[in-house]
Amino acid sequence: MTEEAEHGSGGVYSVEGKEFNRDSRYITTRIVAAPRPGTDDRPVEAGRYRLIAAYACPWANRAIIVRDLLGLGDVISMGNPGPTHDADSWTFDLDPGGVDPVLGIHKLKDAYLKRFPDYPRGITVPAIVEEATGEVVTNDFAQITEDLFFEWRGFHRADAPDLWPAGLRDEMEQVMWRVYTEVNNGVYRCGFAGSQEAYDDAYDRLFTALDWLEERLGRSRYLMGEAITEADIRLFTTLVRFDPVYHGHFKCNRSKLTELPNLWGYARDLFQTPGFGNNVRFDQIKAHYYVVHRDINPLGIIPKGPDLSGWETPHGRGSSGNKTQ
């Protein structure tokens, strides 16, 4: 028996046999500098595409941050659905008249159906839509941010960070996979567990990984050393939601982020870096989880807390991890 838990944030997911599962099947089309013969690749072209990304969604938030860090704001336009999508689709309820001003649609689903009239899966963000046709191109959140770095290099700002340093990529892939399975997805595995046993296992896996990250970040400023990489972006979007949402709403309550010194300093370090904190909307984050997840929070009441003013306090991070330079 499968019980659908939610769609929209990085894929459809369900409670299947008491254990949370995420449907990770995405549209495989890519936007690349040199489209491959025999594929449905689309060419990189300034002004051709629109990134649709909700600030509420951690998977979409990655794309928003990468687009900003690389300086692609004038190259790829962006539309932002509201945080409380309905059962059918993410909606543009933050825009005048509830319509995306470029695509002219009320629901992101319209862009999916424009290309795939019988699209069978969830309407997810992030998604990239071709402006002229109004058709969705891709919704593969991991591939989107990777391609923004590798395929759109000709449009990066001059001082854009090297998010995929060549000498670190093998190790970085391993780190990112553990972050994805145990932390990014791990909080959902806790929150949507269908049995005590499934929850206990998810909880233990999550905090084993967080303890590993806490130790790792005691040795270096960022996950891969002294410079920000894609790995940091992927971890950040979960950490920034941890105390406002995951600690209580998803029962990830062994420790708050603020009680893990290295992770808390690291998260504040990133938050205070241009491209990160300016792309966080705590009100939208809380509204999304507490209003949409009625199976967990039936009355849709949004808690007032916690106090989030600490994100702007000095982080004390330097070149040697938790020690100030």
Side-chain angles (χ1 to χ4, degrees), residues 252-274:
C252 303
N253 60 357
R254 190 203 74 180
S255 311
K256 295 178 180 177
L257 177 64
T258 56
E259 296 166 346
L260 299 167
N262 294 333
L263 277 163
W264 176 224
Y266 161 83
R268 281 178 290 154
D269 188 0
L270 291 174
F271 185 86
Q272 294 167 31
T273 300

Side-chain angles (χ1 to χ4, degrees), residues 2-320:
T2 299
E3 175 191 351
E4 185 173 306
E6 182 193 314
H7 74 77
S9 297
V12 177
Y13 41 95
S14 60
V15 179
E16 191 170 347
K18 304 299 184 182
E19 184 177 338
F20 164 90
N21 291 283
R22 184 179 298 280
D23 183 350
S24 297
R25 294 172 295 170
Y26 302 102
I27 301 168
T28 58
T29 305
R30 293 176 57 194
I31 302 171
V32 295
R36 299 162 297 173
T39 72
D40 59 359
D41 289 347
R42 306 292 172 88
V44 164
E45 185 179 322
R48 179 168 175 170
Y49 305 102
R50 185 163 179 81
L51 172 66
I52 305 300
Y55 284 102
C57 168
W59 318 96
N61 206 177
R62 296 180 181 185
I64 294 172
I65 291 170
V66 170
R67 171 180 174 270
D68 193 347
L69 289 175
L70 298 180
L72 295 173
D74 293 332
V75 179
I76 304 169
S77 71
M78 182 168 67
N80 305 117
T84 55
H85 62 75
D86 60 25
D88 190 46
S89 173
W90 289 90
T91 55
F92 295 97
D93 45 290
L94 300 180
D95 291 307
V99 176
D100 180 86
V102 172
L103 302 177
I105 56 177
H106 292 272
K107 293 174 178 283
L108 178 56
K109 182 177 183 178
D110 295 342
Y112 278 70
L113 297 183
K114 189 76 177 292
R115 182 176 176 197
F116 305 106
D118 299 314
Y119 189 73
R121 294 187 289 278
I123 306 304
T124 64
V125 291
I128 295 183
V129 177
E130 189 173 43
E131 292 186 4
T133 64
E135 295 182 354
V136 67
V137 177
T138 181
N139 64 343
D140 188 338
F141 67 89
Q143 192 66 60
I144 285 172
T145 55
E146 187 171 343
D147 284 346
L148 288 178
F149 179 76
F150 286 106
E151 303 297 330
W152 291 79
R153 284 179 182 271
F155 295 99
H156 290 184
R157 61 182 173 85
D159 59 346
D162 183 0
L163 298 180
W164 291 79
L168 298 175
R169 285 177 200 164
D170 288 345
E171 182 187 2
M172 195 169 97
E173 291 278 10
Q174 295 174 27
V175 169
M176 292 192 300
W177 180 247
R178 188 170 183 183
V179 167
Y180 170 69
T181 60
E182 308 304 297
V183 182
N184 299 150
N185 210 35
V187 293
Y188 286 85
R189 194 181 295 113
C190 289
F192 290 114
S195 70
Q196 187 68 50
E197 183 181 15
Y199 166 75
D200 289 347
D201 177 67
Y203 178 99
D204 291 343
R205 285 177 60 180
L206 170 65
F207 281 100
T208 295
L210 288 176
D211 288 342
W212 165 70
L213 289 164
E214 175 73 6
E215 190 275 334
R216 184 181 182 95
L217 289 165
R219 303 194 306 269
S220 63
R221 184 170 183 176
Y222 304 111
L223 283 178
M224 302 309 302
E226 302 311 307
I228 291 169
T229 66
E230 171 95 9
D232 299 298
I233 298 165
R234 295 185 180 196
L235 178 57
F236 173 78
T237 59
T238 294
L239 295 182
V240 82
R241 289 160 174 77
F242 200 88
D243 287 4
V245 176
Y246 302 145
H247 181 270
H249 185 59
F250 279 175
K251 307 181 187 68
C252 303
N253 60 357
R254 190 203 74 180
S255 311
K256 295 178 180 177
L257 177 64
T258 56
E259 296 166 346
L260 299 167
N262 294 333
L263 277 163
W264 176 224
Y266 161 83
R268 281 178 290 154
D269 188 0
L270 291 174
F271 185 86
Q272 294 167 31
T273 300
F276 286 85
N278 58 297
N279 287 312
V280 172
R281 306 286 187 272
F282 284 118
D283 57 339
Q284 294 191 38
I285 289 169
K286 290 168 64 174
H288 172 69
Y289 287 92
Y290 287 105
V291 173
V292 171
H293 296 165
R294 293 303 177 103
D295 48 342
I296 298 177
N297 189 39
L299 298 179
I301 295 170
I302 304 172
K304 284 190 172 182
D307 179 4
L308 299 170
S309 60
W311 283 95
E312 298 289 356
T313 60
H315 53 75
R317 300 284 290 178
S319 60
S320 54

